[in-house]
Amino acid sequence: TTATGWTGTGEEPIEMWAFSLEPGREGELLFRTSWDLPHADLTINYRAASIDDGVFVISCKETRQWWGFNLTTGHQLWGPTESGHDLGIYGMAGYIAYGKLYATNNMGGVLSCYDLVSGDLLWEYEAYDPYNEILWSKNWPIQGLFITDGKIYLGHDEHSPIDPKPRGAPFICIDA
């Protein structure tokens, strides 16, 4: 069992480390490593981890990309992915289940599924707005709500509502 963290953005490498949470080994340093940014002035965020799969993932707001790392060693396993939808700069989230990374591009209205071992894109789902009432996208802004029983549940996300409000905000269930 591990806990992860790091510091730094801008031009400095990101420092990543993990401490054991295993009873009798609490606080033991498992690894401390650094990771060089692809280029300067990027916002890198820790997004999700899976103890069962031994992987944690990070994302970059500016490039809308994802990377996977070994949770035991801190070494990069894969990434970067291809850049996601441009509106991902306004919100990205990651969820790990069933050996997959489910990544939302919140304002772009896209859910992407990546293989957690290889980082390969397996499929994408777009929360299409049939009324075309979202002013900045053809898709509904979405957020992941929960994953259970082999299903992913997404809900409408909102940032700055205006009147009249768009019709038909979705609540979506997707086969994981």
Side-chain angles (χ1 to χ4, degrees):
T1 306
T2 60
T4 62
W6 66 75
T7 60
T9 56
E11 295 180 8
E12 298 297 318
I14 293 174
E15 295 292 324
M16 298 184 280
W17 62 90
F19 297 99
S20 175
L21 300 176
E22 183 180 328
R25 294 182 59 200
E26 297 95 345
E28 180 182 319
L29 181 65
L30 298 176
F31 70 81
R32 182 175 182 175
T33 187
S34 62
W35 181 70
D36 291 326
L37 295 172
H39 57 84
D41 298 323
L42 296 177
T43 307
I44 304 293
N45 291 296
Y46 162 82
R47 293 297 180 182
S50 170
I51 292 170
D52 293 337
D53 296 299
V55 175
F56 69 93
V57 294
I58 64 173
S59 68
C60 175
K61 176 179 101 167
E62 291 81 8
T63 65
R64 293 132 3 251
Q65 293 174 305
W66 295 84
W67 290 262
F69 292 83
N70 183 298
L71 193 56
T72 304
T73 65
H75 294 121
Q76 183 176 331
L77 298 172
W78 52 263
T81 60
E82 293 292 320
S83 292
H85 190 282
D86 289 345
L87 292 173
I89 197 167
Y90 298 113
M92 298 170 67
Y95 314 91
I96 295 175
Y98 315 118
K100 312 281 189 294
L101 165 64
Y102 299 98
T104 57
N105 180 311
N106 296 22
M107 290 296 123
V110 179
L111 172 69
S112 302
C113 176
Y114 297 95
D115 182 86
L116 199 55
V117 174
S118 67
D120 291 338
L121 177 65
L122 302 175
W123 53 262
E124 287 188 319
Y125 172 83
E126 291 189 44
Y128 180 70
D129 170 17
Y131 299 114
N132 201 29
E133 292 183 348
I134 299 300
L135 300 178
W136 59 86
S137 175
K138 65 179 180 160
N139 297 331
W140 284 96
I142 58 171
Q143 63 177 317
L145 300 175
F146 54 92
I147 300 175
T148 186
D149 195 28
K151 299 171 187 71
I152 304 162
Y153 291 87
L154 305 171
H156 172 58
D157 195 8
E158 182 52 73
H159 183 274
S160 303
I162 59 169
D163 288 322
K165 299 197 179 24
R167 299 170 285 165
F171 184 79
I172 303 163
C173 176
I174 297 175
D175 183 340

